[in-house]
Structure formats: structure tokens, C-alpha cells
Amino acid sequence: MKKVSVLVLIVVLLAIPMLSGCKTAVVAEGELVSYGMTDDWVNLGEIFSTFGERYNVVHTDTDMTSAEQIQKLLAEKDAPVMDIADIGFDFVGPLIENDLALPYKNASFSKVPDNFKDADGRWTVAYWGAISFLVNTDLVDNVPQTWDDLLKPEYLDKVCSRDPAKSTYATGSVLAVAYAKGGGEDNVQPGLDFFKELRDSGNWRQGVVLNVASVQKGECPISIVYDFDGFAKRDATGLPLEVVIPTDATVGMLFAEYINAVAPHPNSAKLFQDFLFSDEGQIMLAKGYAHPARSDVVLPDEIKAKLLPESAYGNIHFPTSLESFSAAIKAIVEGWTAISAQ
């Protein structure tokens, strides 16, 4: 018994300098720079604030799309600025192909499902969101429940969506419809055909930018968004907005975290990943309506009560692999670009 106690004490004493050294390095850096991780997205404001106060780290962010991240990182390879980023799963391929991500397995890496992470830790999914309808019940009497519902004459000039050739919101929507109509990653054409029909019917409201302002003004009675973004827009506007998961099919869109391969503040970046994937970090993401990647995390009852029940996601489809999902997104972008030219 004494030998075991002595052995445990030795292990603890050996670990103290390592932990101390890590925290010292973070304090010395004192900064953390992100791209595409704004305060109003999935509760990141509270997450970064908590992290910064706890470890004395100043965080700054520049808002940009996943595509812009890749362009920026390539341009800054010799003079790096960014440490961490949140990227749509459809852009993980270019991230890896260009060697832009640093291998790092966060402290909870083993608890993240295998299909939600790179074996070397170059990217790890922190959360996901489902494609949904956001419906203003002051402006819409009958709330749509399926994709085909959106084609009804009563929704003339009432449906807002982003451009499937440019937005991950919209490419995910096309893929969801493909699943609803018997297609999928290997056959996205049914989804493309549907969105062409939606456009040609006049139900898709053209020329309106889908954002908080357009929803607030009533310009988007029905919006196609991620479920967590729908709830956030409801909170931001105070409007009677209902989030609906289409019953015929939806897609779980993944968001991956990564560290810049040449991050100026690598220790702060690693510690932040440890925090984000901890029980505390995952619960804070859920507070922002995102679905945590770690299914083993038990959410507090007050947070669960604000989310849709699991039964609402009965027809959800997740990427089968990075390769097949990326191929599907490419086919959607190319297909919609061709349709738009018609």
C-alpha cells in the first residue's frame, strides 16, 4: 500500500512542472486570435470570455466564411496571424490538402466519436446543427413541416434561402432535400431539381439577404437555417419564430475546430481546444443551441428544456465520410451554378 502511495505521489510531482510550464507558456503568450468565431455564434461570446478571464488571455476575432479562412491562411503562411478557427465540414478537405492545420489531440479527444475527428487531431468536430425552417408565425398561418410544403401557393414570395453555390447553409439544404427524395451524397440531383422548382414557383424570395435584419423586418417569413441559428435569431429579434425540423429529411452539418499549423500563440490555442471540448465547454455550446459533438456530456435540465426533443430529429443524416460529403457539396455547387446560368 505504501509503495502504491509513493508511486502516485511521484507521478503527481512529475506532472506539476509540466502543467505549470503549460500555463506559464499561455500566460506568456497572453493572446488568442480566431477567424470566423464571432461572439454571437453558438454562445462563443460567453465561452471566450470565460476562457480569457480564467487564463488571462485576450481574444480577438475576424468574422469570415470557411472559404475566406482558407484564402487568408494561404496568404498569411509566412506571416501568420490566426491561431484557431471554426470551419464548415465541407472545407476541411482544402484545409488538410494545403497542410494548414496543426495536429493536436485535445484533452477530451478520446471522447469524441471517430467520425467527428481526424485520426491525427488536425481537426475535431465540436458541435453540429440541423437544417431547419425558421417560421414567423405572425406572418405564416400554416407552418410548413416538409420540403414539399414549401412549394404550396400560400408561400408565394415567402421563403428565404442563401445561394447553394456560395453558402453552406444552402448546400446543406439541397443535400437534405436529396435525402428526402431518395437521393443522398451520391445523388444530389433531386435536391437541385427541387430548389430550381422552388425558385421558378416564385416562392423563393429573390434579392433578400438572409440575416437577423431581414428576419427582424419581416422580409423573411420562412427562412432555411441551422436550428441553432434559428433559435439565436428568435432570441435576438423577440419575434414569434418557430424552429421546425423537416420531417421528411434533414442533414446534420458539422463544424470542426483546428489550430493553424503556424499559429503565433500555439499554447493558448491548445488550451482553448482543451476547454471547448471539456464538459464545461460542450455544455456552453449547448447553451447557444448547438448540438455538442460529445454525446456523453449530460446537459443541465434548464438547457435541455430550451432545445427540441430528440424525436424531432428522426430523419437526420450525417456525413458518411469527409470524402463523400465533400464530393456531394462540390456537385451541389457545380450543379447550382449551372442552373443559375439558365
Side-chain angles (χ1 to χ4, degrees):
M1 198 66 180
K2 289 182 179 178
K3 289 183 178 179
V4 173
S5 299
V6 170
L7 189 58
V8 170
L9 179 60
I10 291 173
V11 171
V12 171
L13 289 173
L14 287 173
I16 288 174
M18 293 174 63
L19 292 172
S20 181
C22 176
K23 290 181 179 178
T24 300
V26 171
V27 170
E29 291 174 350
E31 292 184 60
L32 183 67
V33 179
S34 65
Y35 285 168
M37 302 181 78
T38 57
D39 285 353
D40 59 351
W41 185 258
V42 295
N43 199 33
L44 286 176
E46 182 181 3
I47 291 171
F48 279 118
S49 176
T50 302
F51 176 79
E53 290 174 5
R54 187 169 301 173
Y55 299 106
N56 196 29
V57 173
V58 177
H59 167 251
T60 55
D61 179 77
T62 301
D63 189 21
M64 62 181 69
T65 66
S66 297
E68 289 169 340
Q69 283 180 37
I70 300 297
Q71 295 169 358
K72 196 78 169 171
L73 287 176
L74 289 172
E76 294 174 350
K77 261 194 168 183
D78 295 328
V81 175
M82 181 271 275
D83 299 302
I84 59 169
D86 180 308
I87 194 168
F89 197 59
D90 46 327
F91 282 92
V92 169
L95 181 76
I96 300 304
E97 290 163 10
N98 289 284
D99 296 321
L100 298 174
L102 177 76
Y104 178 66
K105 298 181 181 181
N106 65 76
S108 302
F109 190 76
S110 63
K111 299 177 182 179
V112 178
D114 289 344
N115 60 326
F116 280 11
K117 62 189 178 187
D118 171 59
D120 297 320
R122 292 172 296 178
W123 58 266
T124 312
V125 172
Y127 64 95
W128 58 272
I131 299 298
S132 66
F133 306 151
L134 182 64
V135 185
N136 187 330
T137 56
D138 271 352
L139 304 175
V140 178
D141 293 329
N142 300 311
V143 177
Q145 301 295 321
T146 68
W147 290 102
D148 279 341
D149 282 348
L150 297 184
L151 296 173
K152 292 179 178 179
E154 64 187 283
Y155 301 132
L156 182 67
D157 197 32
K158 288 187 175 181
V159 180
C160 287
S161 176
R162 293 184 178 178
D163 187 340
K166 300 176 182 178
S167 166
T168 303
Y169 274 85
T171 51
S173 303
V174 173
L175 183 57
V177 179
Y179 275 115
K181 295 183 174 298
E185 289 177 339
D186 59 346
N187 178 19
V188 301
Q189 194 59 48
L192 290 167
D193 293 341
F194 172 86
F195 268 81
K196 181 179 185 300
E197 186 177 0
L198 184 68
R199 182 196 67 181
D200 295 347
S201 72
N203 286 11
W204 184 351
R205 191 158 208 196
Q206 302 291 295
V208 176
V209 177
L210 174 51
N211 54 28
V212 173
S214 58
V215 173
Q216 177 77 63
K217 294 174 185 176
E219 295 174 348
C220 291
I222 302 172
S223 307
I224 302 175
V225 298
Y226 301 125
D227 54 352
F228 61 75
D229 193 39
F231 284 121
K233 283 180 169 60
R234 181 197 64 187
D235 291 353
T237 63
L239 294 172
L241 301 175
E242 183 176 338
V243 176
V244 178
I245 307 300
T247 57
D248 41 356
T250 188
V251 170
M253 300 294 282
L254 309 181
F255 294 85
E257 313 307 308
Y258 69 94
I259 298 173
N260 186 358
V262 286
H265 314 105
N267 294 293
S268 296
K270 291 174 182 178
L271 190 61
F272 180 77
Q273 280 215 1
D274 290 346
F275 177 74
L276 188 63
F277 285 92
S278 69
D279 289 13
E280 182 182 7
Q282 292 281 282
I283 289 171
M284 291 176 79
L285 284 170
K287 189 176 177 181
Y289 303 109
H291 301 266
R294 285 183 50 202
S295 59
D296 65 303
V297 173
V298 179
L299 300 180
D301 290 340
E302 62 269 22
I303 291 180
K304 288 172 63 176
K306 295 181 179 181
L307 305 175
L308 293 175
E310 288 186 16
S311 58
Y313 300 87
N315 269 326
I316 190 166
H317 300 266
F318 288 97
T320 55
S321 71
L322 175 59
E323 292 73 23
S324 60
F325 182 81
S326 298
I329 296 302
K330 181 180 179 183
I332 290 170
V333 171
E334 292 175 350
W336 190 254
T337 299
I339 288 172
S340 299
Q342 296 175 4

